[in-house]
């Protein structure tokens, strides 16, 4: 080894989910890199990005958990956000330049009435400052070049939208929405409905699916922790799968499932919830997670398996 070469630090084969409370000013990828380095993990990935100006829940997957990260990408999200009425910006948030100022004539009652009109299924036009691609190039690249391209509206669902505080011109609200919803765009559209325009000044994600900030940890806390304390923050892999009904197999069914064989529901001890589901989380007779299966036409079909279980 030459003088300038450093010995390689061995990486750890970790499996689990870290509920990270991402700070403002850090990209999701940078947060992932820092956490992966702290854990010395071999493999890690995140479950959908948070803008650098946003804070809050960023679930990070390690090892086998990365196989199931798509399930969180498709999950509903919950945010707390503050919008400032009367000013529109180029980006729809505080990072952009002001492009229009209008007089504020609404009151709290008008704000509550406007929020009510955005609950349920709505159509959003994705913002130019987004990672959606057009002809292979992200929209934000067009926007930075001063170009605007036509975007089609997309249907999203606003499950809940409630007012937290109204200290005009600032309005703070909580929203639970389907995947693909842009809260920046929601704030801008509410501002237009009120006739004054708006932009987002704060965004904090508080929930992803059934996961919340209740068991989250900050990067600073991880940095100050010992290795065993860090490991204690890891949730089990099936924390990502809590919305799926559970089925437990006997010894023979476990063997067949791990060989990729489809199992008839009629031969298994399953309830009506599982029979009506599209997917299920599957456990061995020893209560170990085996993977995820699709439920179709009366059979349980293996979809994604845990490597350790197969071995």
């Amino acid at each position: 080894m030459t003088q300038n070469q450093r010995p390689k630090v061995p990486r750890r084969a970790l499996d689990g989910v870290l509920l990270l409370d991402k700070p403002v000013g850090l990209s999701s990828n940078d947060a992932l890199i820092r956490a992966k380095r702290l854990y010395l993990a071999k493999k890690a990935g995140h479950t959908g990005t948070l803008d650098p100006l946003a804070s809050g829940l960023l679930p990070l997957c390690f090892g086998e958990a990365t196989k199931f990260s798509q399930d969180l990408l498709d999950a509903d999200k919950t945010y707390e956000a503050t919008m400032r009425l009367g000013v529109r910006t180029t980006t729809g948030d505080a990072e952009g330049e002001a492009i229009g100022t209008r007089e504020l004539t609404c009151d709290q009652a008008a704000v509550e009435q406007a929020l009510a009109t955005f609950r349920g299924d709505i159509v959003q036009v994705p913002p130019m400052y987004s990672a959606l691609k057009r002809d292979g190039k992200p929209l934000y690249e067009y926007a930075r070049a001063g170009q605007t391209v036509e975007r089609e509206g997309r249907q999203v669902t606003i499950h809940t939208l409630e007012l937290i505080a109204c200290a005009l011109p600032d309005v703070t609200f909580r929203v639970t929405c389907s995947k693909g919803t842009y809260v920046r765009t929601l704030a801008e559209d509410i501002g237009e409905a009120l006739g004054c325009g708006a932009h987002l000044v704060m965004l904090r994600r508080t929930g992803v699916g059934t996961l919340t900030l209740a068991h989250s940890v900050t990067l600073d806390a991880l940095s100050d922790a010992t290795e065993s304390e860090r490991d204690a923050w890891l949730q089990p892999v099936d924390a990502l799968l809590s919305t799926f009904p559970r089925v437990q197999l006997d010894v023979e069914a476990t063997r067949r499932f791990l060989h990729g064989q489809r199992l008839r529901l009629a031969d298994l001890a399953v309830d009506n919830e599982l029979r009506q589901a599209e997917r299920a989380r599957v456990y061995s007779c020893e209560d170990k997670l085996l993977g995820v299966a699709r439920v179709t036409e009366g059979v349980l079909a293996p979809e994604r398996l845990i490597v350790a279980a197969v071995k």
Side-chain angles (χ1 to χ4, degrees):
M1 182 183 299
T2 65
Q3 188 174 3
N4 293 329
Q5 285 181 321
R6 295 181 180 178
K8 285 189 176 181
V9 178
R11 293 284 173 173
R12 306 167 65 207
L14 288 175
D15 298 319
V17 181
L18 180 70
L19 303 183
L20 185 69
D21 187 349
K22 187 190 84 68
V24 172
L26 197 66
S27 74
S28 295
N29 196 54
D30 285 341
L32 171 66
I33 290 171
R34 291 192 190 183
K36 185 179 179 182
R37 185 181 299 129
L38 285 168
Y39 277 96
L40 296 175
K42 286 184 177 179
K43 184 178 182 181
H46 58 66
T47 57
T49 59
L50 268 179
D51 288 343
L53 285 183
S55 68
L57 186 59
L58 181 67
L60 303 180
C61 297
F62 293 90
E64 290 291 274
T66 58
K67 292 182 177 180
F68 309 105
S69 60
Q70 182 63 43
D71 301 308
L72 280 196
L73 287 172
D74 296 338
D76 293 337
K77 313 292 192 302
T78 299
Y79 300 90
E80 289 184 2
T82 298
M83 61 182 175
R84 183 157 296 158
L85 301 179
V87 180
R88 293 171 55 243
T89 69
T90 52
T91 59
D93 59 24
E95 195 173 35
E97 298 177 1
I99 54 174
T101 302
R102 281 183 267 176
E103 184 182 357
L104 205 62
T105 59
C106 61
D107 56 13
Q108 181 171 330
V111 170
E112 290 179 331
Q113 186 175 0
L115 293 181
T117 65
F118 285 89
R119 298 182 187 123
D121 293 335
I122 64 171
V123 175
Q124 274 194 344
V125 177
M128 280 300 301
Y129 280 90
S130 67
L132 289 178
K133 291 187 177 180
R134 176 73 175 269
D135 298 328
K137 189 163 69 170
L139 289 180
Y140 63 75
E141 290 191 11
Y142 292 100
R144 288 170 181 169
Q147 303 174 16
T148 300
V149 299
E150 193 171 334
R151 291 99 66 206
E152 289 187 7
R154 305 189 305 178
Q155 181 173 298
V156 297
T157 303
I158 307 300
H159 299 292
T160 62
L161 179 58
E162 54 187 351
L163 183 67
I164 296 177
C166 187
L168 297 175
D170 290 349
V171 174
T172 301
F173 59 90
R174 181 181 296 110
V175 58
T176 299
C177 50
S178 63
K179 70 170 184 176
T181 302
Y182 289 92
V183 183
R184 277 180 294 147
T185 300
L186 178 63
E188 288 182 304
D189 291 346
I190 293 171
E192 290 305 309
L194 289 167
C196 57
H199 69 282
L200 209 62
V201 294
M202 186 280 290
L203 182 64
R204 180 163 175 78
R205 187 158 69 188
T206 60
V208 178
T210 59
L211 303 178
T212 69
L213 283 168
H215 302 290
S216 65
V217 62
T218 65
L219 284 171
D220 287 342
L222 285 177
S223 298
D224 295 337
T226 64
E227 182 178 293
S228 60
E229 288 171 338
R230 288 190 200 108
D231 289 353
W233 284 107
L234 286 179
Q235 306 287 318
V237 173
D238 57 0
L240 299 176
L241 309 172
S242 60
T243 58
F244 295 167
R246 169 194 175 102
V247 58
Q248 190 162 7
L249 306 179
D250 61 24
V251 175
E252 176 58 22
T254 294
R255 184 192 66 80
R256 292 176 56 203
F257 184 83
L258 291 177
H259 279 85
Q261 296 180 27
R262 293 153 62 96
L263 307 176
R264 293 196 327 146
L265 296 183
D267 298 333
L268 306 175
V270 299
D271 55 23
N272 286 332
E273 181 189 8
L274 189 136
R275 294 178 188 279
Q276 297 170 7
E278 294 182 0
R279 301 165 80 196
R281 49 191 169 124
V282 184
Y283 295 80
S284 71
C285 56
E286 298 174 336
D287 207 27
K288 292 181 179 178
L289 180 68
L290 303 179
V292 169
R294 287 209 167 270
V295 183
T296 177
E297 297 179 352
V299 299
L300 197 69
E303 184 179 49
R304 291 195 294 274
L305 302 180
I306 300 291
V307 170
V310 175
K311 290 181 178 179

